[in-house]
Amino acid sequence: MADNESEDRNIIPVEEEAMPALADKNQAEDESKEEKESFLSRFGRAFINFLRALLRLVLILALFGILIFYGLPYIQRTFIAPVEENASRMSELENEIARLQTEVAEMNHRLITVETTIETHSASIQKLEEIQATIESELQANNNSVLLELKHEVMLARAFDMLGRARLYLSQSNFGLAQEDVQSARDLLFELQTETGDEVLTQVIARLDLALGNLPQFPVVASGDLEIAWQILISGEASAISTSTSTPFVEDFLTATPTPFDVPSVTPTP
């Protein structure tokens, strides 16, 4: 009995010493297993999160692409196209304004030229009136054929200036003054025709009567008759002038010489 108890005592410590080692081994295996499961779990969650992030990125890119595909045309139609159209219209308006400014400048230049030419005609008419008055006073004292011929030339020159100024008044739509000049030229040419018996002047007077009949109600028709009368006076041949009316141009008025004759100065005879 004593020996058995001694053996039992010797065995118990061995068993007590072996149990902790086995427990540590099992615990290590459990920890390793838990670590492995924890790694797989973390990897799985990370992979799922990656897929979710990738899906979000794909969705964001898809939405961004849809926004660009449909948004850019809308922006183009709503914002960019109106701005470009307004810019194009502004450019057209600027070009139109520049063109109008050029036309206004040309019209002002032509108006100044017309006014200058009218003043030239007026000065020439006044000078010729003074010369004619001097010649007529000389004729009263001395009925000279040379002086009489000179008077006729001065009267014809005055008629040219009056008709030239009347044409310019018509170009300015100043029909009242044009009618006055045509009437004065007609009366002067009638006096000249009475003294000379020139048939060409008869044709001119007939055309001037037609022009006076159309003023101021029908200035276009009147300008045609006035143009024909002017051409008859210049050519000196009524048969060479067409009977059809034509509208004169302002450029012709401006290039016309106020006095078509060189009128010599008259020195009174003492």
Side-chain angles (χ1 to χ4, degrees):
M1 286 294 291
D3 293 335
N4 291 334
E5 290 179 357
S6 177
E7 290 177 358
D8 292 336
R9 290 175 182 174
N10 292 330
I11 293 172
I12 290 171
V14 173
E15 291 178 354
E16 290 178 353
E17 291 177 358
M19 288 297 292
L22 182 59
D24 292 338
K25 183 178 181 181
N26 292 334
Q27 185 177 0
E29 290 177 355
D30 292 339
E31 290 178 355
S32 176
K33 186 177 181 180
E34 289 177 358
E35 289 178 358
K36 185 180 294 185
E37 291 178 355
S38 177
F39 173 76
L40 292 176
S41 177
R42 289 196 303 271
F43 179 77
R45 287 195 300 270
F47 183 72
I48 291 173
N49 292 333
F50 173 75
L51 290 179
R52 289 177 179 174
L54 182 62
L55 181 60
R56 291 193 187 99
L57 180 62
V58 171
L59 289 175
I60 291 173
L61 292 177
L63 290 175
F64 188 71
I66 293 173
L67 181 63
I68 293 176
F69 183 78
Y70 291 101
L72 286 181
Y74 175 77
I75 294 173
Q76 174 71 23
R77 292 192 306 269
T78 307
F79 300 102
I80 299 177
V83 171
E84 292 178 349
E85 185 177 357
N86 290 335
S88 177
R89 289 180 179 177
M90 288 296 295
S91 178
E92 292 177 358
L93 287 175
E94 290 177 356
N95 294 333
E96 184 68 16
I97 290 173
R99 185 183 65 82
L100 291 175
Q101 289 176 344
T102 302
E103 291 182 357
V104 169
E106 292 177 354
M107 290 179 63
N108 289 334
H109 176 71
R110 293 175 64 181
L111 181 61
I112 293 173
T113 305
V114 169
E115 292 293 339
T116 303
T117 308
I118 288 176
E119 292 176 359
T120 303
H121 279 296
S122 299
S124 177
I125 291 171
Q126 183 178 1
K127 181 179 179 180
L128 290 172
E129 287 177 352
E130 294 174 356
I131 294 175
Q132 183 177 345
T134 303
I135 294 174
E136 288 177 349
S137 64
E138 289 293 322
L139 283 173
Q140 291 177 358
N142 182 11
N143 190 6
N144 189 296
S145 60
V146 176
L147 290 176
L148 183 61
E149 184 178 354
L150 182 59
K151 174 190 173 183
H152 293 163
E153 290 182 359
V154 171
M155 293 174 67
L156 188 60
R158 284 179 60 197
F160 264 107
D161 279 326
M162 290 177 182
L163 293 178
R165 190 170 64 179
R167 297 168 78 194
L168 292 173
Y169 283 143
L170 282 177
S171 70
Q172 292 180 323
S173 298
N174 197 339
F175 306 133
L177 292 178
Q179 187 176 16
E180 291 179 4
D181 274 349
V182 172
Q183 184 65 55
S184 299
R186 189 263 181 206
D187 295 340
L188 188 62
L189 291 175
F190 180 78
E191 180 182 352
L192 180 60
Q193 195 275 337
T194 302
E195 295 181 4
T196 60
D198 192 345
E199 291 299 326
V200 174
L201 295 180
T202 303
Q203 297 294 326
V204 174
I205 293 170
R207 281 293 175 177
L208 294 180
D209 287 337
L210 291 175
L212 289 171
N214 289 314
L215 284 174
Q217 289 83 4
F218 306 103
V220 176
V221 179
S223 65
D225 292 321
L226 183 58
E227 177 69 13
I228 293 175
W230 176 270
Q231 295 297 331
I232 292 174
L233 276 179
I234 291 177
S235 64
E237 297 179 2
S239 59
I241 305 300
S242 173
T243 57
S244 61
T245 59
S246 60
T247 303
F249 297 93
V250 178
E251 288 77 4
D252 297 333
F253 304 159
L254 301 181
T255 56
T257 305
T259 304
F261 303 103
D262 293 330
V263 180
S265 59
V266 178
T267 304
T269 303

Coordinates of all heavy atoms in Angstrom, one line a residue, residues 136-176:
E136 N -26.8 147.4 -121.4 CA -28.1 148.0 -121.8 C -28.0 149.5 -121.7 O -28.6 150.2 -122.5 CB -29.2 147.5 -120.9 CG -29.6 146.0 -121.2 CD -30.7 145.5 -120.3 OE1 -31.0 146.1 -119.3 OE2 -31.2 144.4 -120.6
S137 N -27.3 150.0 -120.6 CA -27.1 151.5 -120.5 C -26.3 152.0 -121.7 O -26.5 153.1 -122.2 CB -26.5 151.8 -119.2 OG -25.2 151.3 -119.1
E138 N -25.3 151.2 -122.1 CA -24.5 151.6 -123.3 C -25.3 151.6 -124.6 O -25.1 152.4 -125.4 CB -23.3 150.7 -123.4 CG -22.2 150.9 -122.3 CD -21.6 152.2 -122.4 OE1 -21.3 152.7 -123.5 OE2 -21.3 152.8 -121.4
L139 N -26.2 150.6 -124.7 CA -27.0 150.5 -125.9 C -28.0 151.7 -126.0 O -28.3 152.1 -127.1 CB -27.8 149.2 -125.9 CG -27.0 147.9 -126.3 CD1 -27.8 146.7 -126.0 CD2 -26.5 148.0 -127.7
Q140 N -28.4 152.2 -124.9 CA -29.3 153.3 -124.9 C -28.6 154.6 -125.5 O -29.2 155.4 -126.2 CB -29.9 153.6 -123.5 CG -30.8 152.6 -123.0 CD -31.3 152.9 -121.6 OE1 -30.9 153.9 -121.0 NE2 -32.2 152.0 -121.1
A141 N -27.3 154.6 -125.2 CA -26.5 155.8 -125.7 C -26.0 155.5 -127.1 O -25.9 156.4 -127.9 CB -25.4 156.1 -124.8
N142 N -25.7 154.3 -127.4 CA -25.1 153.9 -128.7 C -25.6 152.5 -129.1 O -25.2 151.5 -128.5 CB -23.6 153.9 -128.6 CG -22.9 153.6 -129.9 OD1 -23.5 153.6 -130.9 ND2 -21.6 153.4 -129.8
N143 N -26.5 152.5 -130.1 CA -27.1 151.2 -130.5 C -26.1 150.6 -131.4 O -26.1 150.7 -132.7 CB -28.4 151.5 -131.3 CG -29.2 150.2 -131.5 OD1 -28.8 149.1 -131.1 ND2 -30.3 150.3 -132.3
N144 N -25.2 149.8 -130.8 CA -24.1 149.1 -131.5 C -24.4 147.6 -131.6 O -24.9 147.0 -130.7 CB -22.8 149.3 -130.7 CG -21.6 148.9 -131.6 OD1 -21.5 147.7 -131.8 ND2 -20.7 149.8 -131.9
S145 N -24.2 147.1 -132.8 CA -24.5 145.7 -133.0 C -23.6 144.8 -132.2 O -24.0 143.7 -131.8 CB -24.4 145.3 -134.5 OG -23.1 145.6 -135.0
V146 N -22.4 145.2 -132.0 CA -21.5 144.4 -131.2 C -22.0 144.3 -129.7 O -22.0 143.2 -129.1 CB -20.1 145.0 -131.2 CG1 -19.1 144.2 -130.3 CG2 -19.5 144.9 -132.7
L147 N -22.4 145.4 -129.2 CA -22.9 145.5 -127.9 C -24.2 144.6 -127.8 O -24.5 144.0 -126.8 CB -23.2 146.9 -127.4 CG -22.0 147.8 -127.2 CD1 -22.4 149.2 -126.8 CD2 -21.1 147.2 -126.0
L148 N -25.0 144.7 -128.8 CA -26.3 143.9 -128.8 C -26.0 142.4 -128.8 O -26.6 141.6 -128.1 CB -27.1 144.3 -130.0 CG -28.5 143.6 -130.1 CD1 -29.3 144.0 -128.9 CD2 -29.2 144.0 -131.4
E149 N -25.0 142.0 -129.6 CA -24.6 140.6 -129.6 C -24.0 140.2 -128.3 O -24.3 139.1 -127.8 CB -23.6 140.3 -130.7 CG -23.2 138.9 -130.9 CD -22.2 138.7 -132.0 OE1 -22.0 139.6 -132.8 OE2 -21.8 137.5 -132.2
L150 N -23.3 141.1 -127.7 CA -22.7 140.8 -126.4 C -23.8 140.6 -125.3 O -23.7 139.8 -124.4 CB -21.7 141.9 -126.0 CG -21.0 141.7 -124.6 CD1 -20.2 140.4 -124.6 CD2 -20.1 142.9 -124.4
K151 N -24.8 141.5 -125.4 CA -26.0 141.4 -124.5 C -26.6 140.0 -124.6 O -27.0 139.4 -123.6 CB -26.9 142.5 -124.8 CG -28.2 142.4 -124.0 CD -29.3 143.4 -124.5 CE -30.6 143.1 -123.8 NZ -31.7 144.0 -124.3
H152 N -26.8 139.6 -125.9 CA -27.5 138.3 -126.1 C -26.6 137.1 -125.5 O -27.2 136.2 -124.9 CB -27.7 138.0 -127.6 CG -28.7 139.0 -128.2 ND1 -28.8 139.2 -129.5 CD2 -29.6 139.8 -127.6 CE1 -29.7 140.1 -129.8 NE2 -30.2 140.5 -128.6
E153 N -25.3 137.2 -125.6 CA -24.5 136.2 -125.0 C -24.6 136.2 -123.5 O -24.6 135.2 -122.8 CB -23.0 136.4 -125.4 CG -22.8 136.1 -126.9 CD -21.3 136.3 -127.3 OE1 -20.5 136.7 -126.4 OE2 -21.0 136.1 -128.4
V154 N -24.6 137.4 -122.9 CA -24.8 137.5 -121.4 C -26.1 137.0 -121.0 O -26.2 136.3 -120.0 CB -24.6 139.0 -121.0 CG1 -24.9 139.2 -119.5 CG2 -23.2 139.5 -121.3
M155 N -27.2 137.3 -121.7 CA -28.5 136.7 -121.4 C -28.5 135.2 -121.4 O -29.1 134.5 -120.6 CB -29.6 137.3 -122.3 CG -29.8 138.8 -122.2 SD -30.9 139.5 -123.4 CE -32.4 138.7 -123.0
L156 N -27.9 134.7 -122.5 CA -27.8 133.2 -122.6 C -27.0 132.6 -121.4 O -27.4 131.5 -120.9 CB -27.2 132.8 -123.9 CG -27.3 131.3 -124.3 CD1 -28.7 130.8 -124.3 CD2 -26.6 131.1 -125.6
A157 N -25.9 133.3 -121.1 CA -25.1 132.8 -119.9 C -25.9 132.8 -118.6 O -25.8 131.9 -117.8 CB -23.8 133.6 -119.8
R158 N -26.7 133.9 -118.5 CA -27.5 134.0 -117.3 C -28.5 132.8 -117.2 O -28.8 132.2 -116.2 CB -28.3 135.3 -117.2 CG -27.4 136.5 -116.8 CD -28.3 137.8 -116.9 NE -29.4 137.6 -115.9 CZ -30.5 138.4 -116.0 NH1 -30.6 139.4 -116.9 NH2 -31.5 138.3 -115.1
A159 N -29.1 132.5 -118.4 CA -30.1 131.4 -118.5 C -29.4 130.1 -118.1 O -30.0 129.3 -117.4 CB -30.7 131.4 -119.9
F160 N -28.2 129.9 -118.6 CA -27.5 128.7 -118.2 C -27.3 128.6 -116.7 O -27.5 127.5 -116.1 CB -26.1 128.6 -118.9 CG -26.1 127.9 -120.2 CD1 -26.0 128.5 -121.4 CD2 -26.2 126.5 -120.2 CE1 -26.0 127.8 -122.6 CE2 -26.2 125.8 -121.4 CZ -26.1 126.4 -122.6
D161 N -26.9 129.7 -116.1 CA -26.6 129.6 -114.7 C -27.9 129.4 -113.9 O -28.0 128.7 -112.9 CB -26.0 130.9 -114.2 CG -24.5 131.0 -114.4 OD1 -23.9 129.9 -114.3 OD2 -23.9 132.0 -114.8
M162 N -29.0 130.0 -114.4 CA -30.3 129.8 -113.7 C -30.8 128.4 -113.8 O -31.3 127.8 -112.8 CB -31.4 130.8 -114.3 CG -31.1 132.2 -113.9 SD -32.4 133.3 -114.8 CE -31.8 134.9 -114.2
L163 N -30.7 127.8 -115.0 CA -31.1 126.4 -115.2 C -30.2 125.5 -114.4 O -30.7 124.5 -113.8 CB -31.1 126.1 -116.6 CG -32.1 126.8 -117.5 CD1 -32.0 126.4 -119.0 CD2 -33.6 126.5 -117.0
G164 N -28.9 125.8 -114.4 CA -28.0 124.9 -113.6 C -28.3 125.0 -112.1 O -28.3 123.9 -111.4
R165 N -28.6 126.2 -111.6 CA -29.0 126.3 -110.2 C -30.3 125.6 -109.9 O -30.5 125.0 -108.9 CB -29.0 127.7 -109.8 CG -29.2 127.9 -108.3 CD -29.0 129.4 -107.9 NE -30.0 130.3 -108.5 CZ -30.1 131.6 -108.3 NH1 -29.1 132.2 -107.5 NH2 -31.0 132.3 -108.8
A166 N -31.3 125.7 -110.9 CA -32.6 125.0 -110.7 C -32.4 123.5 -110.6 O -33.1 122.8 -109.9 CB -33.5 125.4 -111.9
R167 N -31.5 123.0 -111.4 CA -31.2 121.5 -111.4 C -30.7 121.1 -110.0 O -31.0 120.0 -109.5 CB -30.2 121.1 -112.5 CG -30.7 121.4 -113.9 CD -29.6 121.3 -114.9 NE -29.3 119.9 -115.2 CZ -28.2 119.5 -115.9 NH1 -27.3 120.4 -116.2 NH2 -28.0 118.2 -116.1
L168 N -29.8 121.9 -109.5 CA -29.3 121.6 -108.1 C -30.4 121.7 -107.1 O -30.4 120.9 -106.1 CB -28.1 122.6 -107.8 CG -26.9 122.4 -108.7 CD1 -25.9 123.5 -108.4 CD2 -26.2 121.0 -108.4
Y169 N -31.3 122.7 -107.2 CA -32.4 122.8 -106.3 C -33.3 121.6 -106.3 O -33.8 121.1 -105.3 CB -33.2 124.1 -106.5 CG -32.5 125.3 -106.0 CD1 -32.7 126.5 -106.7 CD2 -31.8 125.3 -104.8 CE1 -32.1 127.7 -106.3 CE2 -31.3 126.5 -104.4 CZ -31.4 127.7 -105.1 OH -30.8 128.8 -104.6
L170 N -33.5 121.1 -107.6 CA -34.3 119.8 -107.7 C -33.6 118.6 -107.0 O -34.3 117.8 -106.4 CB -34.5 119.5 -109.2 CG -35.6 120.3 -109.9 CD1 -35.6 120.0 -111.4 CD2 -36.9 120.1 -109.3
S171 N -32.3 118.6 -107.1 CA -31.6 117.5 -106.5 C -31.7 117.5 -105.0 O -31.5 116.5 -104.3 CB -30.1 117.5 -106.9 OG -29.4 118.6 -106.3
Q172 N -31.9 118.7 -104.4 CA -32.1 118.9 -103.0 C -33.6 118.9 -102.6 O -33.9 119.1 -101.4 CB -31.5 120.3 -102.6 CG -30.0 120.4 -102.6 CD -29.5 121.7 -102.2 OE1 -30.2 122.8 -102.4 NE2 -28.4 121.7 -101.5
S173 N -34.5 118.6 -103.6 CA -35.9 118.6 -103.3 C -36.4 119.9 -102.9 O -37.4 120.0 -102.2 CB -36.3 117.5 -102.3 OG -35.9 116.2 -102.7
N174 N -35.7 121.0 -103.3 CA -36.1 122.3 -103.0 C -36.9 122.8 -104.3 O -36.4 123.6 -105.1 CB -34.9 123.2 -102.8 CG -35.3 124.5 -102.1 OD1 -36.5 125.0 -102.1 ND2 -34.4 125.2 -101.4
F175 N -38.2 122.3 -104.4 CA -38.9 122.5 -105.6 C -39.4 124.0 -105.8 O -39.5 124.4 -107.0 CB -40.1 121.6 -105.7 CG -39.7 120.1 -105.4 CD1 -40.5 119.4 -104.5 CD2 -38.7 119.6 -106.1 CE1 -40.1 118.0 -104.3 CE2 -38.3 118.3 -105.9 CZ -39.1 117.5 -105.0
G176 N -39.6 124.7 -104.7 CA -40.0 126.1 -104.9 C -39.0 127.0 -105.5 O -39.2 127.7 -106.5

